[in-house]
Amino acid sequence: MNKHKGHLLDVHLNPNISGLKPSATVAINDLSNELRQKGKEVYKLGLGQSPFPVPEQVVEALQKNAFQKDYLPVKGLRELQEAVAEHHCRTFGIEANPDDVLIGPGSKELMFLLQLTYFGNLVIPSPSWVSYAPQAKIIGRDILFFPTSFENDWHLTPEELEKLCHIKKGEPRLLILNYPLNPSGTTMDRDRLKDLAEIADRNHVVLLSDEIYGKIHHDGQHESIVNFYPEGTIFSGGLSKWCGAGGWRLGVFVFPRPLRWLLDAMAAVGTETFTSTSAPIQYAAIRAFQEGPEINDYLKRSRRIIKALGNHISKKLEEAGVRIRYPHGGFYIFPDFSPFKEKLKAKKINTSEKFCRRLLEDTGVAMLPGSNFGRHPEEMTARIAYVDFDGKSALEAVRSISTDQPLGEHFLKTYCGNVLKAINRLSEWIHD
Ligand SMILES: Cc1ncc(COP(=O)(O)O)c(C=O)c1O
């Protein structure tokens, strides 16, 4: 006889979770792996994972600290908080105190804790990273999307921010800005950041500045809005992208002094949820944030490769008739296939989701539809993560090419061949 009583097993799902699917990036990765296992050639331009290995010096630091076994303070290992604060001062010329730093198991988790702890609605651009909005939905916050456009490099304009500040004026809200931007790789210049900062300051907006791709600005010229609105900006970063350590799960927030209450409240929630971030990883992260000549050299070589590759594939797509903004940082581009809308309609493709699915089935090229980033489902945009190559060999090979020489097609074909092939297939397919 079945001992289980059916009614105990009925579905009682938190209404905020109902309809929530696994994160879009994870889903496309699973589908790509499944197709690969079935023997299909798949070009993995879906998941935004760094192609580069973790710098040797940081791996060695992790090896040396494998024995570290104690729970650490919820806000983070003191030496790591110090290293992050110093890094902040060195990079942005802004005073930060180790007590302003919060370490967590990935910046994604810290963002979730922030949204949970701060009692206000979420304001984000469209397009924006896939997880901000689902996190708000899980917690039960309202989301206000603000539109951006191809013409404005997919970033918020001061006029738009001014307008936003007048909607439900006075209500607490959290504004997230990400630059260089996932999904487009485009960034904001100093003047734009200054203008946005002035408006945010005047309207007392709490700003989360997601700068996880800042250190892989292709020219090493990343600027932070923290410089222009230090009182109201929380800086977000981590090891996942510039240090190739996504799976290590380490993120950092740096808070302005007036928001110490928020840091303390998040840490209190942290004690009841993740307890503390992995100890060996935190010890190793000290080495990463200290930087030094070897790590700077690693960064320079990484930037050189992703810059050359990003420009090359953008040019190829542009030549194929696709609308594209060239990337300034990170490893993404966000092409707009609207010039092919009628052609696609004839193939019964009328959403970016269908577009990506059919492309994957027909050519093996995996990318993410623009609708996953908050764009209108019928807008023919998609995100390409141009990371399907062996970053370790590319990093080694680039050592022997003098810095005054561009990384040409020969280099890219040899070391990033899959990405080039994928872009060729995509270009042919849209003209088919
Ligand atoms: C824009 C952006 N922010 C935050 C994250 C989260 O990174 P992590 O949790 O690995 O620190 C990602 C990861 O893909 C991202 O693309």
Side-chain angles (χ1 to χ4, degrees):
M1 202 181 92
N2 187 351
K3 278 194 258 167
H4 298 294
K5 296 228 171 26
H7 65 272
L8 289 178
L9 302 175
D10 284 351
V11 177
H12 295 288
L13 201 56
N14 176 340
N16 290 352
I17 314 289
S18 98
L20 192 78
K21 295 192 212 127
S23 167
T25 38
V26 177
I28 192 88
N29 199 43
D30 290 350
L31 181 62
S32 303
N33 285 337
E34 204 183 297
L35 289 171
R36 235 179 216 181
Q37 266 167 11
K38 284 185 188 156
K40 192 170 169 71
E41 196 172 8
V42 173
Y43 304 91
K44 290 172 85 171
L45 310 185
L47 183 71
Q49 166 156 289
S50 166
F52 302 116
V54 179
E56 263 167 52
Q57 299 71 22
V58 183
V59 173
E60 279 164 20
L62 180 62
Q63 284 164 341
K64 280 193 198 132
N65 283 287
F67 73 94
Q68 302 281 1
K69 63 170 205 44
D70 290 343
Y71 290 120
L72 294 176
V74 64
K75 289 182 182 174
L77 175 68
R78 190 64 185 174
E79 293 91 316
L80 178 57
Q81 288 178 301
E82 283 167 2
V84 171
E86 276 163 26
H87 176 267
H88 211 62
C89 300
R90 211 169 47 239
T91 317
F92 304 125
I94 289 212
E95 276 307 308
N97 189 289
D99 291 329
D100 302 327
V101 176
L102 179 61
I103 310 291
S107 64
K108 188 191 253 187
E109 191 63 29
L110 288 176
M111 284 172 199
F112 184 74
L113 283 191
L114 173 66
Q115 292 209 51
L116 182 72
T117 310
Y118 183 74
F119 197 62
N121 293 323
L122 178 68
V123 184
I124 46 171
S126 146
S128 62
W129 180 51
V130 290
S131 291
Y132 305 134
Q135 288 190 347
K137 189 174 174 285
I138 293 168
I139 295 163
R141 302 274 187 261
D142 285 340
I143 306 163
L144 192 63
F145 276 107
F146 58 81
T148 68
S149 65
F150 176 86
E151 286 68 29
N152 281 306
D153 277 353
W154 307 110
H155 283 288
L156 174 63
T157 60
E159 298 73 35
E160 198 62 45
L161 179 58
E162 194 77 66
K163 254 198 268 168
L164 278 168
C165 290
H166 284 91
I167 302 173
K168 296 190 185 163
K169 205 172 163 68
E171 276 194 7
R173 59 186 52 172
L174 173 70
L175 169 67
I176 304 185
L177 294 181
N178 167 227
Y179 52 100
L181 180 69
N182 176 3
S184 66
T186 53
T187 198
M188 292 187 277
D189 64 17
R190 194 183 172 83
D191 288 344
R192 170 75 65 91
L193 292 173
K194 262 188 182 167
D195 290 347
L196 294 174
E198 188 274 317
I199 301 165
D201 191 2
R202 186 158 32 80
N203 290 282
H204 310 291
V205 173
V206 174
L207 183 64
L208 180 76
S209 184
D210 183 351
E211 302 181 37
I212 193 130
Y213 299 99
K215 288 176 78 69
I216 44 174
H217 183 290
H218 294 168
D219 297 315
Q221 304 278 329
H222 176 69
E223 293 248 13
S224 173
I225 200 166
V226 174
N227 265 310
F228 310 118
Y229 183 31
E231 311 77 17
T233 306
I234 305 164
F235 166 91
S236 176
L239 291 189
S240 299
K241 309 298 173 177
W242 70 270
C243 204
W248 286 22
R249 309 309 303 131
L250 186 126
V252 310
F253 272 15
V254 183
F255 285 77
R257 198 58 53 83
L259 293 179
R260 179 66 59 83
W261 59 271
L262 191 51
L263 190 167
D264 289 341
M266 281 174 64
V269 179
T271 58
E272 305 297 359
T273 50
F274 67 85
T275 305
S276 63
T277 305
S278 159
I281 299 293
Q282 290 202 59
Y283 280 95
I286 298 171
R287 180 64 194 87
F289 281 102
Q290 282 169 340
E291 299 178 308
E294 299 96 344
I295 291 188
N296 288 339
D297 174 56
Y298 161 94
L299 267 175
K300 276 190 191 149
R301 282 182 288 136
S302 311
R303 290 178 188 138
R304 222 179 142 196
I305 297 163
I306 50 180
K307 177 178 179 174
L309 184 57
N311 285 341
H312 181 82
I313 59 172
S314 299
K315 188 159 170 281
K316 288 281 168 205
L317 287 172
E318 202 170 51
E319 285 167 2
V322 178
R323 278 170 26 111
I324 185 98
R325 285 291 183 219
Y326 281 54
H328 307 122
F331 29 69
Y332 306 111
I333 51 172
F334 194 60
D336 173 9
F337 298 91
S338 59
F340 298 88
K341 212 163 179 170
E342 291 311 312
K343 226 172 171 5
L344 292 167
K345 241 188 212 159
K347 292 190 199 177
K348 297 203 167 32
I349 297 173
N350 52 5
T351 63
S352 58
E353 180 112 36
K354 274 194 196 150
F355 177 69
C356 289
R357 189 159 274 275
R358 280 282 290 280
L359 180 76
L360 180 56
E361 285 164 5
D362 291 356
T363 66
V365 176
M367 56 184 198
L368 286 180
S371 54
N372 285 170
F373 298 86
R375 300 302 294 177
H376 191 281
E378 287 174 15
E379 180 187 87
M380 287 298 162
T381 45
R383 187 195 76 177
I384 289 177
Y386 53 90
V387 294
D388 190 1
F389 63 93
D390 176 3
K392 188 165 190 261
S393 320
L395 270 184
E396 266 319 301
V398 85
R399 277 185 200 278
S400 56
I401 303 174
S402 137
T403 45
D404 52 15
Q405 261 186 37
L407 296 183
E409 191 157 355
H410 177 68
F411 177 91
L412 297 175
K413 266 195 180 142
T414 312
Y415 294 99
C416 315
N418 253 9
V419 177
L420 266 54
K421 263 195 227 161
I423 297 299
N424 272 340
R425 287 199 159 199
L426 164 60
S427 305
E428 282 165 14
W429 185 82
I430 47 172
H431 282 281
D432 232 8

